[in-house]
Structures are given as structure tokens and as C-alpha cells.
Amino acid sequence: MRIGLLASNPDLYSNQRIMEAGAERGHRMSFLDIRQCYMKLDPSDPEVHYRDGRILNNLDAVIPRIRPSQTFYGCALTRHFESLGVFALNGSAAISQSRDKLFSLQLLQQSGLNIPTSGFANSPVDTNELIDMVGGAPLIVKLLEGTQGRGVVLAETRKAAESVINAFKSLKANLLVQEFIREAQGRDLRLFVIDGKVVAAIQREAAPGEFRANIHQGGTASVVKVTAEEKRLAVKAAKVLGLKVAGVDIIRSKKGPLLLEVNSSPGLEGIESATRKDIAGAMIVSIEKGLKWRPPISANSSSLQATDTGGSSPED
């Protein structure tokens, strides 16, 4: 198959691993910089062009790995590929709603999934109400557009919470306030879901003096045994948001597991390094299943050998 990886940085571990995994399974992989793709909208002849002169309409599938700053254009590009009949590992609509922290929390809440108590308002006048809504300080303040732990602040006192909230609002930034789960002690779980199954899970622990467990913020990853309830929560969260591939972040609390966030472009380095599982290969297998692709049978190989193309399945 011809598979395009829609991303920005070919040197990132996750992008390199996906390119390698696809090639190992016999596919023609192309790294496509989102910024170098152009769309032609025409009812009789729609196209996607690349800066080097290629027309990309003949791709079988795309894997969108869109950074937050490129969400609008990246989703528009993915949507255009979908309109051409190209299979998207994660669809544009699913990526869009998962990137909006407020919208995704509303969807998860509507589906009866447990989330931390959160508050949202449009005016600095409502700051005190917001703080009370989530049980007072300490509390978490999150920018709706943040990712990898960026734009997340722990306000340990009421005065600090007021200052942070009002500072963000003065910049016209959209933010959430959220209850602080003290008993989690800087730990959370990342469950990697592919096609409705949890294929790997790790516990992330914050660096000393830090409350964010994200690997990009210096957190460490270790293998963890997750409960059946945590698996069900992760699988349903991915399903609610329409994601075939998702990194679901869960925190353990006195009230049971709570959903923190669902990531449509989860990083692979931390979870592959800790679990030694071929997550990139499982993503390629998902595309093969979605398109009902079968490897060609070599004249010199048995049918059993022909189907053994390397990589791992989601069940491994």
C-alpha cells in the first residue's frame, strides 16, 4: 500500500518508528510535511498537491500526526484526503473534537464517563465562582490548546489561582479549571488504544518538584498493570471521540479512575521503550485491517510464510 504520514518533523522518534514499521511490512511510506501540502477544491477534479510537484491522490491511507499549532490546517488536509476516498487512521472530525479539551470533556461526560470536576467561564468576573466550583485551591488551570503538559499550571493557594486565571484571561486565552487529585501524587496512566483494544499501558511519574507526569516534562515511564475498569474507561473514551488510535490519560483517585485527556497523536517513545512492544507496527496493522489488505503471496513462499510480514498485532 501507499501510506502517507502527515506530520511536521521527520526526526521525531514516533514519526521515524511509524515510517520504519510501515516499510518493514512492505508498504511504500511517504513522509509528508503538512505545511507543504496544498488542496485543490474542484467538484470534478479535487486534488492534493505537494511542494515538490507531486499529486497525492493515489495514496491508499494517511496517518495524521498533527501538532496543536497546525490543528486547523492539518484537519482540513485530512478531511480533503478523506473526501478523495483515502483512508485516515484517525479521521478529521475525531481529531478536531479530541483537540478541544472542553468539547471532549463534554462528550465524555455526556457518555457517563468519569472526569475530574472542571469549570469553564468566559469572564474574569466569574473567577471566584470557578474556584469554588472545583472545590477550591489547590487546583489545576489548563489552557484549552495546550498539550504535552504545556499550558498546565498548579495553583496551590486561592490567591495564586485568582492570579493565574485572571492573567490567562487578560490574554484572551480559553482555559479550564480542574480539581487537583492530591492522592495521585504526581502519577497518571497512559493507555494506548488501537481499534477498541488497550494494546499497552504505562504509569508516568512526575519528576521531583513537578506535578505533571508527561514524559516531555521530565516524567518517567514504567510498565503498570491496569484494571479491567481502567481498560473499559480507555476503550470507551476512544470510541466516544471516534478515534481508532488514542493515548488515553487516566488518573487514580479516591473516587476511582478519572479521565484526564484523550490524545489523537500519542507519542510512542515512552510507551515503546517501557513496554518493549511494537506499537508503531500495531498502527500499521490497523490500516491493513481497515482496508482489508492482504500481503501478496510470493511464488517461492508458502501462504503461511507470505502472511508473516513482521511487526506485531494489537493482541501481542
Side-chain angles (χ1 to χ4, degrees), residues 103-157:
F103 186 30
S104 61
L105 285 175
Q106 288 172 322
L107 291 172
L108 296 170
Q109 171 197 268
Q110 289 167 18
S111 297
L113 300 181
N114 292 332
I115 61 172
T117 301
S118 306
F120 178 78
N122 191 48
S123 167
V125 175
D126 306 309
T127 296
N128 286 318
E129 180 96 12
L130 277 178
I131 293 171
D132 293 337
M133 200 178 284
V134 299
L139 56 79
I140 302 294
V141 183
K142 290 184 177 182
L143 290 177
L144 294 189
E145 294 80 15
T147 187
Q148 296 178 343
R150 302 186 191 99
V152 180
V153 177
L154 170 62
E156 299 197 41
T157 66

Side-chain angles (χ1 to χ4, degrees), residues 108 111-113 193 196 230-242 248 259:
L108 296 170
S111 297
L113 300 181
V193 178
E230 288 162 349
K231 286 184 179 180
R232 283 194 297 270
L233 192 61
V235 168
K236 189 166 182 182
K239 184 178 180 180
V240 166
L241 297 182
V248 182
L259 277 167

Side-chain angles (χ1 to χ4, degrees), residues 185-237:
Q185 298 182 323
R187 300 186 188 96
D188 69 15
L189 307 176
R190 161 61 63 88
L191 281 69
F192 210 103
V193 178
I194 300 179
D195 290 335
K197 293 181 181 178
V198 174
V199 299
I202 54 173
Q203 177 175 270
R204 303 183 301 184
E205 186 166 358
E210 178 61 76
F211 72 97
R212 296 166 295 181
N214 305 71
I215 303 299
H216 285 84
Q217 299 299 330
T220 56
S222 58
V223 178
V224 66
K225 185 174 180 59
V226 293
T227 66
E229 183 182 5
E230 288 162 349
K231 286 184 179 180
R232 283 194 297 270
L233 192 61
V235 168
K236 189 166 182 182

Side-chain angles (χ1 to χ4, degrees), residues 36-81:
Q36 297 188 35
C37 294
Y38 310 100
M39 293 169 275
K40 175 186 175 185
L41 282 73
D42 184 296
S44 60
D45 190 25
E47 292 173 336
V48 178
H49 290 235
Y50 203 61
R51 186 170 289 174
D52 61 10
R54 280 180 290 164
I55 295 177
L56 304 175
N57 290 34
N58 65 345
L59 290 176
D60 296 297
V62 291
I63 304 172
R65 302 278 301 178
I66 303 166
R67 61 174 51 176
S69 61
Q70 294 176 345
T71 296
F72 177 80
Y73 191 74
C75 285
L77 180 61
T78 303
R79 192 181 311 120
H80 203 62
F81 273 116

